[in-house]
Amino acid sequence: MAISPDECANQILETTPLIMHAIRAEMRSNRLPELSVPQFRMLGFLNRHEGASLSDVADHMGLTLASMSKMMDGLVTRGLVTRQTHAQDRRRVALALTAEGRRTWERAHEATRACMVGWLAALSAPERDTVVEAMRILRLIFSSGGEAGKREATR
Amino acid sequence: MAISPDECANQILETTPLIMHAIRAEMRSNRLPELSVPQFRMLGFLNRHEGASLSDVADHMGLTLASMSKMMDGLVTRGLVTRQTHAQDRRRVALALTAEGRRTWERAHEATRACMVGWLAALSAPERDTVVEAMRILRLIFSSGGEAGKREATR
DNA sequence: TATTGTTATACTCTATAACTATA
DNA sequence: TATAGTTATAGAGTATAACAATA
């Protein structure tokens, strides 16, 4: 194919916002206006990492502590997350899903999965392979801890 | 590889926000805090479609007219875009880049391109091919006019 | 002194609702 | 009546700066 890095950059820059918009629109307009994309990711992380600190979550999502604090506050207020002082290090907080939080996440996860699967049904198996492989490649480049962008934010 | 649609959905959902964050961080923190991602896309569209109406741009980006009107207003105020009444249909506006707008877009485009190319330098040629091919596939699914999400917004 | 987190403030993006002007 | 656009208002996401508490 012989794709230039330039062309590759353009494609990513043009396509990614389209995907984000479609996902956001789905999560807002349809059957689950209860969670935004960032909230969905926060709950998913806590589902996988019970007892994580705020820094852990902020680091995972590549956001500042201040932003995470505020957003997490919303989830705590809504009764989806518990926030307790860590036993050993009293500066830290230990975050975890409530039963309600877990139910909410599972509901959102299932609905999102179903919707995405519907969209992806148009693809052939090899096309899906290509997409997943590309995501793996891009994750290596863009994942938190990989490059400069994130580090700047917490400087 | 035998990837399930489920796995594919998860990968997209986890990776896309990371990419968006890295791009946003780059456009904000570094050498060009002058344009946000949506502003960059607006100018790019006007660069390609001189004289486009507000509806054209809103449609391209999958946003409501009200949102576009407000955002475009910012660019007009900053002297990057001209907004004139259309000659034939006086309800419409004809949007175009000013000289300054074109310069700003070219500067931002070049800087973004250079930055992305730097990130993508870590990839091999076949990996770039995979990424571009995936973007092409995803664009078919998610591009404005393709699916439900966008139509809802302008209902 | 360095780390963890919160609060205060502000800006951008985005939506809905109500409106005006034109067709 | 339908279409193009603006204005008003609101809410989410995000940042920086200033601060408090703990290590």
Side-chain angles (χ1 to χ4, degrees):
Chain A
M1 254 196 270
I3 298 294
S4 70
D6 238 65
E7 178 59 15
C8 191
N10 276 336
Q11 291 297 321
I12 293 172
L13 214 47
E14 195 59 24
T15 308
T16 315
L18 287 178
I19 301 174
M20 281 304 293
H21 181 270
I23 296 172
R24 247 184 280 124
E26 168 62 20
M27 296 195 91
R28 186 175 353 86
S29 299
N30 288 14
R31 56 228 119 208
L32 47 129
E34 39 187 7
L35 290 180
S36 67
V37 175
Q39 287 168 342
F40 180 78
R41 293 183 67 212
M42 281 186 257
L43 293 189
F45 184 81
L46 292 183
N47 189 50
R48 277 169 289 153
H49 301 91
E50 179 154 353
S53 73
L54 198 61
S55 297
D56 293 335
V57 190
D59 209 59
H60 170 69
M61 294 188 54
L63 305 180
T64 61
L65 261 178
S67 297
M68 276 310 310
S69 182
K70 190 177 160 187
M71 280 192 288
M72 197 60 79
D73 204 51
L75 297 180
V76 170
T77 300
R78 281 169 61 185
L80 304 180
V81 170
T82 58
R83 180 174 43 190
Q84 294 173 327
T85 304
H86 191 93
Q88 276 74 49
D89 186 340
R90 291 168 50 75
R91 289 172 305 183
R92 293 166 146 258
V93 293
L95 301 160
L97 296 183
T98 63
E100 172 68 15
R102 193 173 304 276
R103 275 197 301 276
T104 300
W105 185 76
E106 280 163 2
R107 203 159 49 228
H109 185 242
E110 169 53 25
T112 305
R113 191 201 59 73
C115 173
M116 295 279 289
V117 166
W119 289 340
L120 297 173
L123 303 186
S124 66
E127 282 174 329
R128 279 202 303 273
D129 287 355
T130 299
V131 169
V132 167
E133 176 61 9
M135 292 297 133
R136 189 190 65 74
I137 292 168
L138 291 173
R139 195 112 74 119
L140 289 178
I141 297 180
F142 291 107
S143 85
S144 303
E147 87 302 348
K150 257 102 218 178
R151 296 302 124 224
E152 301 287 298
T154 48
R155 191 178 38 184
Chain B
M1 255 198 270
I3 298 293
S4 70
D6 239 65
E7 178 58 15
C8 191
N10 277 336
Q11 292 297 320
I12 293 172
L13 214 46
E14 195 59 24
T15 307
T16 315
L18 287 178
I19 301 175
M20 281 304 293
H21 181 270
I23 296 172
R24 248 184 279 123
E26 167 63 19
M27 297 196 91
R28 187 175 352 86
S29 299
N30 288 14
R31 55 228 119 208
L32 46 129
E34 39 188 9
L35 291 179
S36 67
V37 175
Q39 288 168 342
F40 181 79
R41 294 183 67 211
M42 282 187 255
L43 293 189
F45 184 81
L46 292 183
N47 188 50
R48 276 169 290 154
H49 302 90
E50 179 154 352
S53 73
L54 197 61
S55 297
D56 292 336
V57 191
D59 209 57
H60 169 69
M61 295 188 53
L63 304 180
T64 61
L65 259 180
S67 297
M68 275 312 308
S69 181
K70 190 176 162 189
M71 280 193 288
M72 197 59 81
D73 204 51
L75 296 180
V76 171
T77 301
R78 282 170 60 184
L80 304 180
V81 169
T82 59
R83 178 174 44 189
Q84 295 173 325
T85 303
H86 191 94
Q88 276 75 49
D89 187 339
R90 291 169 49 75
R91 290 173 303 181
R92 294 167 146 257
V93 293
L95 300 161
L97 296 184
T98 62
E100 171 69 15
R102 193 172 306 275
R103 276 197 302 277
T104 300
W105 184 76
E106 280 164 1
R107 204 160 48 230
H109 184 241
E110 167 54 26
T112 306
R113 190 201 58 74
C115 173
M116 294 279 289
V117 166
W119 289 341
L120 298 173
L123 303 186
S124 66
E127 283 174 330
R128 279 201 303 274
D129 288 354
T130 299
V131 169
V132 168
E133 176 62 9
M135 292 297 132
R136 190 190 65 74
I137 293 168
L138 291 173
R139 196 111 76 118
L140 289 178
I141 297 180
F142 291 108
S143 86
S144 302
E147 86 303 350
K150 258 98 217 177
R151 297 300 124 224
E152 301 287 297
T154 48
R155 191 178 39 185

